[in-house]
């Protein structure tokens, strides 16, 4: 049976361009780019070129871009550095309630250290309440506002441009991991974090962009504005990540239309063949490649495992804690049944035939699970 991978929002398959760049950079990329001898300078040129590529995509200058060990490290470093640098503004971190677990962990560490946090609720579609953010900022003492560009579990875009208008000078941290390479991230941010394996780059490469003039201190105690992971960088992986980002940005308009059409089919056809299923997230203002379904009569784990036996890899439960079999905090905050959810996320290799086969298989799997549970009347 051919396996069909439908969990690209967790990690996208390595882009062919990334594979080629990884191989090509392996010869020189292992050298220390801080050394002045020839091979060190060659490694530095590779790193600088990758930085320029990522900066160009983000619309910033190369010195504003740093590479970290992964997206989680980029989030943790970005938030901690901003909170430290903006202590004179206050000690309040305002964040969306449906942020990635890495943001919520950073917020918890902040409060453990004596800081304060304000969690902003979301609508039934997962959109953060901008009026509540404005009210929180108006209360004062806000050091940082953190809101993702789009939700990683349901695909709903967040109104970043509107949020930027109400933060009243506080830096705005945007987790763009779900969006970069799939959607325009815009320029309404002070600090931005992303992860290469979400757009088809290698794992182990995070991006942290800090705009010039934004107050930020290294939480590791290193000098300078750059937030690079101490102890060295995987330059071949960074080169491959930058090459993949350039490639997916070039392909994005065409691929976005193709994936959005397939997701639209899933959003319309799955409810037609699976009774009582709810399609989660904003139906229009969303990422093109993500769709989540909530089913009230079964937990996500059996659905995921049965689909796996049928040759489909999907995500169930929380996208950032599924290995612990925890219900999704995102769906809970949205007021959606969280225990019976599955997320489908597409990549360039997914075809219309794959989508059709998935819809048919999902209907068959749900019917089989209902029969096994004796719930034939549902």
């Amino acid at each position: 049976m051919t396996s069909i991978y439908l969990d690209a929002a967790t990690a996208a398959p390595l882009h062919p361009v990334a594979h080629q760049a990884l191989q090509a950079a392996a010869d020189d990329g292992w050298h220390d780019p801080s050394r002045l001898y020839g091979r060190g300078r060659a490694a530095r040129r590779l790193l600088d070129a990758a930085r320029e590529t990522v900066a160009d995509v983000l619309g910033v200058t190369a010195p504003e871009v740093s590479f970290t060990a992964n997206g989680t490290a980029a989030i943790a470093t970005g938030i901690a550095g901003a909170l430290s640098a903006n202590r004179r503004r206050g000690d309040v971190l305002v964040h969306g309630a449906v942020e990635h677990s890495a943001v919520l962990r950073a917020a918890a560490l902040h409060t453990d250290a004596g800081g304060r946090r304000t969690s902003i609720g979301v609508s039934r579609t997962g959109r953060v309440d901008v009026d509540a953010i404005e009210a929180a900022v108006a209360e004062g003492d806000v050091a940082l506002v953190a809101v993702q560009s789009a939700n990683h579990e349901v695909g709903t875009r967040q109104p970043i441009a509107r949020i930027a208008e109400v933060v009243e000078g506080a830096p705005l941290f945007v987790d763009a991991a779900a969006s970069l390479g799939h959607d325009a991230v815009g320029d309404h941010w002070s600090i931005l974090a992303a992860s290469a394996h979400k757009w088809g780059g290698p794992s182990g490469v995070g991006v942290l962009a800090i705009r010039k003039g934004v107050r930020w201190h290294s939480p590791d105690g290193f000098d300078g504005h750059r937030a690079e992971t101490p102890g060295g960088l995987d330059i071949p992986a960074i080169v491959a990540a930058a090459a993949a980002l350039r490639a997916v940005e070039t392909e994005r308009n065409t691929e976005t239309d193709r994936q959005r059409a397939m997701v639209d089919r899933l959003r319309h056809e799955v409810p037609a063949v699976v009774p009582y299923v709810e399609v989660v997230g904003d139906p229009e203002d969303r990422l093109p490649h993500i769709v989540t379904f909530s089913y009230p009569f079964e937990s996500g784990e059996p659905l995921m495992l049965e689909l796996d036996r049928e040759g489909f890899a999907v995500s169930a439960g929380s996208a950032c804690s599924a290995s612990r079999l925890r219900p999704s905090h995102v769906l809970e905050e949205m007021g959606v049944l969280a225990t019976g959810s599955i997320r489908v996320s597409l990549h360039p290799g997914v075809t219309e035939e794959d989508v059709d086969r998935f819809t048919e298989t999902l209907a068959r799997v749900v019917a089989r699970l209902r029969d096994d549970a004796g719930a034939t009347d549902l």
Side-chain angles (χ1 to χ4, degrees):
M1 180 183 298
T2 301
S3 178
I4 299 174
Y5 182 71
L6 300 176
D7 194 20
T10 295
L14 194 66
H15 194 284
V17 168
H19 188 273
Q20 295 168 6
L22 191 63
Q23 296 288 335
D27 289 339
D28 290 324
W30 61 271
H31 297 288
D32 187 343
S34 68
R35 299 304 180 188
L36 297 180
Y37 47 70
R39 290 184 175 181
R41 295 197 304 273
R44 168 56 63 180
R45 286 193 292 271
L46 288 173
L47 180 59
D48 288 346
R51 201 187 309 277
E52 290 278 1
T53 296
V54 174
D56 184 60
V57 170
L58 294 177
V60 298
T61 64
E64 295 171 285
V65 174
S66 297
F67 297 108
T68 65
N70 49 55
T72 297
I75 289 171
T77 302
I79 290 177
L83 290 171
S84 174
N86 289 278
R87 287 174 180 167
R88 290 185 179 180
R89 287 190 58 92
D91 67 342
V92 178
L93 168 60
V94 177
H95 64 83
V98 296
E99 301 300 305
H100 190 276
S101 60
V103 173
L104 301 184
R105 282 197 296 269
L109 288 173
H110 177 59
T111 56
D112 289 346
R116 293 176 290 167
R117 64 191 284 191
T118 300
S119 180
I120 304 298
V122 297
S123 68
R124 178 78 179 187
T125 64
R127 183 157 290 107
V128 71
D129 186 338
V130 180
D131 291 338
I133 292 177
E134 185 173 19
V137 171
E139 291 181 3
D141 297 328
V142 173
L144 181 68
V145 177
V147 180
Q148 59 197 179
S149 55
N151 187 260
H152 52 292
E153 292 194 28
V154 301
T156 298
R157 291 188 184 119
Q158 300 296 358
I160 297 299
R162 288 181 57 207
I163 293 169
E165 294 175 354
V166 305
V167 297
E168 295 184 0
L172 176 58
F173 175 91
V174 171
D175 169 15
S179 301
L180 191 58
H182 302 279
D183 196 32
V185 297
D187 57 2
H188 299 282
W189 50 268
S190 309
I191 304 171
L192 178 143
S195 184
H197 72 287
K198 304 286 188 177
W199 69 65
S203 61
V205 179
V207 170
L208 181 60
I210 306 168
R211 288 192 185 278
K212 184 178 180 180
V214 173
R215 293 184 58 82
W216 186 89
H217 293 160
S218 171
D220 297 311
F222 290 88
D223 292 333
H225 198 64
R226 185 160 290 165
E228 246 125 57
T229 298
L233 297 167
D234 187 343
I235 295 177
I238 289 171
V239 170
L245 182 58
R246 173 64 72 196
V248 297
E249 281 293 305
T250 301
E251 302 160 356
R252 180 160 59 83
N253 287 340
T254 300
E255 189 61 24
T256 290
D257 291 343
R258 193 183 73 89
Q259 292 184 1
R260 182 173 289 276
M262 288 191 287
V263 165
D264 283 342
R265 288 176 61 182
L266 286 167
R267 293 180 65 91
H268 288 94
E269 293 177 8
V270 167
V273 296
V274 180
Y276 306 103
V277 75
E278 179 180 357
V279 185
V280 182
D282 194 286
E284 298 296 334
D285 195 6
R286 56 177 172 79
L287 294 177
H289 66 301
I290 295 175
V291 59
T292 295
F293 304 101
S294 178
Y295 182 66
F297 302 114
E298 191 63 68
S299 69
E301 183 190 2
L303 282 173
M304 179 191 71
L305 294 176
E306 287 298 314
L307 287 168
D308 182 47
R309 293 188 183 98
E310 295 280 350
F312 291 92
V314 300
S315 175
S318 173
C320 48
S321 60
S323 62
R324 297 193 294 273
L325 303 180
R326 292 175 52 188
S328 164
H329 73 279
V330 171
L331 299 188
E332 289 179 338
E333 292 289 345
M334 291 169 58
V336 175
L337 183 68
T339 55
S341 65
I342 59 169
R343 182 191 64 184
V344 174
S345 47
L346 310 183
H347 59 85
V350 177
T351 66
E352 293 183 6
E353 291 75 14
D354 295 334
V355 167
D356 290 339
R357 183 180 150 200
F358 171 79
T359 303
E360 296 168 1
T361 303
L362 179 62
R364 186 171 66 253
V365 164
V366 169
R368 184 165 67 236
L369 290 172
R370 289 205 315 264
D371 290 342
D372 291 345
T376 55
D377 58 324
L378 297 178

